[in-house]
Amino acid sequence: MSEQSGLTVPNDEVLVERRDGVQVITINRPAARNALNAAVAHAVAAAVDELDADDELRAGILTGAGGVFSAGMDLKAFLKGEQPGLPGRGLCGITRTPPRKPMIAAVEGWALAGGFELVLACDLVVAARGARFGVPEVKRSLVAAAGGALELANRVPRALAMEMLLTGDPIDAARAEAAGLVNQVVDDGAALDAGLGLAGRITGNGPLGVAASKRIVLEAPDWGADRWDRQDEIVAAVMNSQDAREGASAFAEKRAPVWTGA
């Protein structure tokens, strides 16, 4: 892994760039419609690990080069024995173990099969008008097993999830937005810029509060009657932090806060 002019390049099939506290991860195989092979999987996972480990990074964006997000698993690589999943972590290291920090999918063109499951692993989605989302696995007598069958009904109404999973037919960006899957629809070619704008609205906030809020949303569905106590355990560390005091002081003094993550 090398860095040149702020650009970290794990390999030429995945480009990772830092922009004002935001990690931009670009799947860079446009000739293959950004299909996912082992090299892509390991590079994306490494970039996400860097995102979570570096205090200067506050959010991540996952996107694809050449006007396509990702067409899913590279079947040619699969036939050679390659797997785009990491043991215990899922597809590209994020479908089973999502990053601790917020991740935004910036989608142009097709997000299909494993590509769509990467979208589902992200917290927020910005899509170009021409974007299309689908899980066509049943058309090959397969199952969307990298998160599609498990997670889609948590992101869209059950009837729509069933329609997508059982027919294999894609939906467009407008329908995805209406169903609550997409946060913002923008002109074609503008998804990354819109994603950066959304990320900027996140990175200005206290990182401890952001991380705790995401953790609660992801973990709360598995909590039982003690859910308030479990939330209190997470929130206590934030409320007692230096950043919480800084936020209150900055508000009182009518200035921008300076976060330290402590």
Side-chain angles (χ1 to χ4, degrees):
M1 184 180 295
S2 62
E3 288 195 12
Q4 296 178 352
S5 301
L7 187 66
T8 304
V9 187
N11 62 55
D12 60 1
E13 295 186 332
V14 174
L15 307 178
V16 186
E17 184 180 2
R18 295 169 177 242
R19 299 195 191 183
D20 298 324
V22 179
Q23 183 97 304
V24 180
I25 306 168
T26 304
I27 303 171
N28 186 41
R29 304 186 71 212
R33 299 174 70 197
N34 294 326
L36 308 172
N37 58 16
V40 168
H42 284 276
V44 170
V48 170
D49 288 345
E50 182 181 35
L51 168 65
D52 272 348
D54 193 329
D55 290 340
E56 294 183 1
L57 296 170
R58 302 290 179 86
I61 296 177
L62 182 62
T63 192
V68 176
F69 186 80
S70 172
M73 182 172 66
D74 187 329
L75 296 180
K76 293 180 180 178
F78 173 75
L79 292 173
K80 296 178 182 178
E82 291 188 24
Q83 293 286 346
L86 277 67
R89 297 183 57 177
L91 187 65
C92 292
I94 65 172
T95 55
R96 291 194 182 193
T97 55
R100 179 175 56 84
K101 296 176 184 176
M103 178 68 74
I104 299 167
V107 182
E108 300 274 355
W110 291 99
L112 293 176
F116 179 56
E117 288 168 314
L118 292 182
V119 172
L120 291 177
C122 295
D123 305 299
L124 302 164
V125 184
V126 174
R129 299 189 193 285
R132 298 292 183 271
F133 304 87
V135 274
E137 280 84 349
V138 292
K139 293 181 181 291
R140 301 293 180 265
S141 193
L142 299 172
V143 177
L150 281 173
E151 299 295 340
L152 185 53
N154 295 327
R155 299 289 289 271
V156 302
R158 184 174 183 269
L160 178 56
M162 283 291 192
E163 177 185 334
M164 295 178 68
L165 288 163
L166 301 185
T167 68
D169 295 336
I171 62 172
D172 62 19
R175 191 174 183 193
E177 182 183 35
L181 175 65
V182 169
N183 297 84
Q184 183 181 3
V185 175
V186 297
D187 291 339
D188 290 341
L192 178 56
D193 285 343
L196 286 165
L198 182 56
R201 291 161 56 194
I202 295 170
T203 59
N205 297 326
L208 297 179
V210 168
S213 297
K214 173 175 175 174
R215 181 181 171 189
I216 292 168
V217 170
L218 293 183
E219 295 183 9
D222 297 324
W223 294 346
D226 64 343
R227 62 196 184 113
W228 285 99
D229 293 333
R230 297 184 69 167
Q231 176 182 262
D232 288 347
E233 291 177 4
I234 296 172
V235 172
V238 180
M239 295 296 290
N240 293 323
S241 68
Q242 294 179 20
D243 273 359
R245 290 189 289 275
E246 167 63 12
S249 297
F251 177 81
E253 297 167 10
K254 298 181 179 181
R255 61 173 175 81
V258 178
W259 309 119
T260 63

